[in-house]
Amino acid sequence: MNKVAIVTGSSRGIGAATARLLAARGYSVCVNYRSGASQAEAVVSEITDQGGSALACQADVSQEHDVIALFDATEKALGPVTALVNNVGVLFTQSRLVDMDVERFNRVMTTNTTSCFLCCREAMRRMPDGGAIVNVSSLAARTGSPFEYVDYAASKAAMDALTRGLSVEAAERNIRINGVRPGFIHTDIHADGGEPGRVDRLTPSIPLKRGGQPEEVANAIAWLLSDEATYVTGTFLDVAGGR
Ligand code: NAP
């Protein structure tokens, strides 16, 4: 069976590192993005320059219609989807819960959790038996991210429950669903939260005394998708330097 992966939100950061690594391991990869077309095309060029196969595909994965179109386009260009990485995630300016408005809360839930639901559902409807899904959660699902992003933490905890429940439903078809929980990783997401230097500020609290690199999260994702993890489902791998 040809290995075909969709990596949502892979124009930059952890998603881009995952797309590159999966391509190097023989997957044809759909590089999904919402607005970063040139960045996504650059990831695709890197992959094809190395002899790999990839496609850039614009889709806002919080929207049902876009998710269906994303799977259609990937199947048409690359073949049946055998692996899915639900990597999209957003957060907004650090704030106490008491100061958050409902539009922000709903946007975080829709982008992070509804997108995961929609992509998992579409994968379950189309994926051949034996496929695999990795949901990119967060250390925040365990800590709750007080004073910063309780909304984001709640969206990730919901993804964890979805991962656990769906893993049991999917087991009868030998489709494995797992989660990774990154800790503090050097990407642009922290600037979106209002603090570009957040990883460096928090480094003293990390047992390994450094922030992580996107490639280190990609390694965990690729392992969970691989045939080295054929007896691993419904579980979570923290990639958080010991936090
Ligand atoms: P990032 O650098 O901000 O990248 C986010 C990616 O998601 C971009 O490619 C962005 O594309 C895409 N995206 C956002 N909304 C989208 C939508 N509605 N539809 C399609 N694509 C969308 O993020 P990151 O730091 O690599 O994080 C990746 C994942 O890891 C997220 O789920 C995040 O919550 C999780 N995580 C990260 C950290 C960390 O420290 N970095 C820690 C824990 C968990 P466009 O630019 O085109 O919108």
Side-chain angles (χ1 to χ4, degrees):
M1 184 164 60
N2 285 337
K3 297 191 291 186
V4 176
I6 293 177
V7 184
T8 70
S10 47
S11 57
R12 66 184 205 187
I14 292 167
T18 303
R20 287 189 204 99
L21 180 60
L22 292 180
R25 296 202 178 165
Y27 290 80
S28 298
V29 181
C30 174
V31 177
N32 160 249
Y33 65 97
R34 181 182 48 189
S35 56
S38 58
Q39 289 173 294
E41 291 294 353
V43 174
V44 168
S45 294
E46 281 179 63
I47 290 171
T48 52
D49 287 352
Q50 301 285 323
S53 165
L55 159 82
C57 190
Q58 195 283 332
D60 176 349
V61 289
S62 65
Q63 302 299 314
E64 184 173 33
H65 176 270
D66 281 23
V67 170
I68 291 167
L70 172 68
F71 276 77
D72 284 346
T74 305
E75 283 178 355
K76 190 169 174 209
L78 305 176
V81 176
T82 61
L84 167 67
V85 182
N86 284 307
N87 168 75
V88 158
V90 293
L91 47 72
F92 297 106
T93 311
Q94 291 154 336
S95 165
R96 287 172 182 260
L97 180 145
V98 72
D99 296 320
M100 288 177 192
D101 58 37
V102 71
E103 287 75 22
R104 165 180 165 148
F105 186 86
N106 287 341
R107 193 164 161 209
V108 168
M109 294 302 290
T110 305
T111 306
N112 298 357
T113 314
T114 307
S115 68
C116 179
F117 156 70
L118 288 170
C119 291
C120 282
R121 190 187 66 180
E122 209 54 34
M124 289 304 299
R125 289 177 174 173
R126 304 180 185 222
M127 194 175 254
D129 292 1
I133 298 174
V134 171
N135 292 331
V136 182
S137 174
S138 171
L139 185 66
R142 286 205 280 108
T143 66
S145 292
F147 309 106
E148 292 193 316
Y149 327 102
V150 172
D151 51 352
Y152 171 83
S155 76
K156 294 297 186 177
M159 282 177 71
D160 286 1
L162 188 154
T163 301
R164 183 71 202 136
L166 182 58
S167 72
V168 177
E169 294 184 3
E172 63 189 16
R173 290 178 48 209
N174 194 29
I175 293 176
R176 298 179 301 103
I177 322 239
N178 292 289
V180 296
R181 295 196 194 105
F184 305 108
I185 312 299
H186 289 286
T187 73
D188 293 334
I189 201 172
H190 306 288
D192 292 349
E195 189 186 358
R198 180 166 175 263
V199 176
D200 292 333
R201 173 173 64 80
L202 293 166
T203 292
S205 71
I206 303 169
L208 285 181
K209 298 294 174 218
R210 65 176 179 84
Q213 295 299 330
E215 292 74 16
E216 295 180 289
V217 183
N219 284 334
I221 294 169
W223 180 76
L224 285 167
L225 291 176
S226 78
D227 286 347
E228 293 181 358
T230 45
Y231 202 52
V232 181
T233 195
T235 196
F236 303 91
L237 191 48
D238 290 357
V239 187
R243 279 282 298 247

